[in-house]
Amino acid sequence: MLEFRTQGFNGYAVKYSPFFDSRLAVAASANFGLVGNGRLYILGLTPNGIVSEKWFDTQDSLYDLSWSEAHENQVVVAAGDSSIKLFDIGLDEFPVQSWQEHKREVFAVHWNLVGKDTFCSSSWDGCIKIAHAVVSLKWSPHRTDSLLTLPTHSCTYSAAYSPHSPSILSAVSSDSHLRIFDLRTPASVSNHLTLSIPIHAAAPTRLGLPPQGGIPPTEALTHDWNKYRDSIIATAGVDRLIRTFDIRSPGQGPVAILPGHDYAVRKVAWSPHLPDVLLSASYDMTCRVWTDGSALGVGAGDGPSNSMAMGGGRELGRMGRHTEFVVGVDWCLFGAEGWCASCGWDERVLVWDVRAIMGS
């Protein structure tokens, strides 16, 4: 396990470069993100450990980041002063572009994995700022304004483009709903909204078990698209449960429910290598690796040990080396299928092999 100390700054997000297996970016904030400056770290993995290649200081906290899918040196960050900033790591000190579109803290940014020249952001102001895939309307480093705003009417903690389509994106928010937007649809009164799935809805009744009652809504903090199954999305949040949904059947409730974390789940990330494996990071100071049960067949692993569990999924292992809230985790896209990175409020970035904790 490799470690890097973000001295004086508490980590909020960590992302591997989509171009290099030895480069990481970390968004961090002073004073736990409550007040003070932010810092974007560019880290390199070397035979001698993790080294800081460069950093950029910002006037306010940083909460998220996303690497450009089109330019190996560009990173976009989400800031607490409601701004979005684009940095080029080949330059020094200042961002190459800044957008002041939101009215409150920006909590998520995500680059279009298919279109590659656009990105979206979400904020506590209840809005998602996005870009059309049409060249003349795109939100890119050549524009200082966004062209389309999608209202969610609630604090939106996470927004992401589908890795399978340049025009579909999703979001989860404080009202415990998963929303799907399709930019190919007419805007009309729905603002491109095609699905709104209540995350807290009761799961379908299983044969031989009593029906489950509805669960009180709690804030949804994170979600991620499965990289192999284009209709599967995982969500998690304050209620400590990880759920997976199939957007082809929005009314059936969650496909799988994965209980286990002791406090809120802050980040989930599907494996880029295995279709049934995902990572989670939580306020209980652990990162955990799970299978959703799909590789074994739905329901294959259900048992009486936890009445909330369903779908055959289970925990495969956990990493407990952090000493404060763990809020960021990401998989390496290259090489062996188990390497990942995590960051937390303990001012530490850890790079570790998921396979080493399997069964722990």
Side-chain angles (χ1 to χ4, degrees):
M1 183 177 291
L2 303 177
E3 178 177 334
F4 179 83
R5 187 77 186 273
T6 58
Q7 184 73 40
F9 290 86
N10 310 103
Y12 261 89
V14 59
K15 297 289 175 63
Y16 271 94
S17 167
F19 296 95
F20 304 104
D21 62 357
S22 61
R23 180 171 288 170
L24 293 168
V26 179
S29 302
N31 305 306
F32 304 99
L34 300 176
V35 64
N37 298 336
R39 178 171 289 180
L40 170 65
Y41 290 90
I42 306 300
L43 306 179
L45 307 181
T46 74
N48 297 319
I50 306 176
V51 299
S52 176
E53 297 179 347
K54 183 168 288 190
W55 69 78
F56 300 91
D57 287 329
T58 58
Q59 292 184 345
D60 213 314
S61 303
L62 297 183
Y63 296 132
D64 197 17
L65 68 94
S66 183
W67 285 95
S68 168
E69 293 289 330
H71 196 302
E72 64 189 30
N73 287 335
Q74 293 185 350
V75 185
V76 65
V77 297
D81 60 0
S82 74
S83 71
I84 301 163
K85 293 177 170 59
L86 180 73
F87 288 93
D88 190 311
I89 64 176
L91 305 176
D92 295 324
E93 295 189 30
F94 302 110
V96 295
Q97 187 61 271
S98 181
W99 294 264
Q100 197 77 37
E101 291 287 316
H102 290 285
K103 301 297 187 293
R104 291 196 60 189
E105 294 91 334
V106 184
F107 219 64
V109 286
H110 191 262
W111 212 280
N112 191 325
L113 300 175
V114 181
K116 298 187 182 296
D117 60 346
T118 61
F119 60 87
C120 66
S121 64
S122 66
S123 166
W124 291 2
D125 63 7
C127 290
I128 302 169
K129 301 288 182 177
I130 65 171
H132 280 290
V134 181
V135 174
S136 61
L137 299 179
K138 69 182 179 181
W139 183 0
S140 75
H142 305 293
R143 298 187 64 94
T144 57
D145 60 332
S146 63
L147 283 213
L148 188 58
T149 298
L150 300 179
T152 62
H153 307 293
S154 61
C155 178
T156 306
Y157 290 104
S158 176
Y161 276 99
S162 165
H164 310 283
S165 170
S167 54
I168 296 177
L169 66 155
S170 55
V172 294
S173 50
S174 59
D175 64 356
S176 191
H177 277 72
L178 166 65
R179 292 177 171 86
I180 308 296
F181 299 90
D182 190 338
L183 304 185
R184 297 168 296 187
T185 61
S188 64
V189 294
S190 65
N191 290 298
H192 301 287
L193 180 68
T194 57
L195 282 177
S196 182
I197 302 173
I199 296 170
H200 55 278
T205 301
R206 290 177 287 171
L207 185 64
L209 294 177
Q212 296 185 15
I215 300 172
T218 57
E219 292 188 313
L221 303 178
T222 178
H223 78 297
D224 193 36
W225 289 81
N226 190 284
K227 307 306 185 292
Y228 292 88
R229 295 173 286 160
D230 61 5
S231 63
I232 301 297
I233 299 176
T235 70
V238 172
D239 66 1
R240 303 170 293 168
L241 300 175
I242 301 170
R243 297 175 175 87
T244 66
F245 293 89
D246 190 332
I247 61 175
R248 296 172 300 181
S249 305
Q252 77 168 14
V255 178
I257 299 178
L258 304 172
H261 277 294
D262 299 319
Y263 293 103
V265 182
R266 188 61 178 74
K267 187 72 174 177
V268 291
W270 285 102
S271 169
H273 308 287
L274 300 170
D276 67 311
V277 173
L278 68 156
L279 272 174
S280 60
S282 169
Y283 289 161
D284 65 10
M285 299 184 286
T286 67
C287 293
R288 307 193 188 197
V289 58
W290 312 79
T291 173
D292 69 350
S294 60
L296 304 174
V298 173
D302 284 359
S305 60
N306 193 316
S307 61
M308 289 301 300
M310 65 165 288
R314 61 187 177 89
E315 181 182 332
L316 299 177
R318 68 183 69 178
M319 190 279 289
R321 295 282 294 273
H322 283 283
T323 57
E324 254 293 356
F325 294 167
V326 190
V327 293
V329 68
D330 193 38
W331 295 87
C332 180
L333 298 174
F334 306 97
E337 63 191 28
W339 285 98
C340 69
S342 59
C343 68
W345 282 12
D346 55 1
E347 302 181 0
R348 297 161 72 210
V349 178
L350 301 180
V351 175
W352 45 286
D353 190 348
V354 170
R355 295 166 298 179
I357 65 166
M358 292 287 197
S360 63

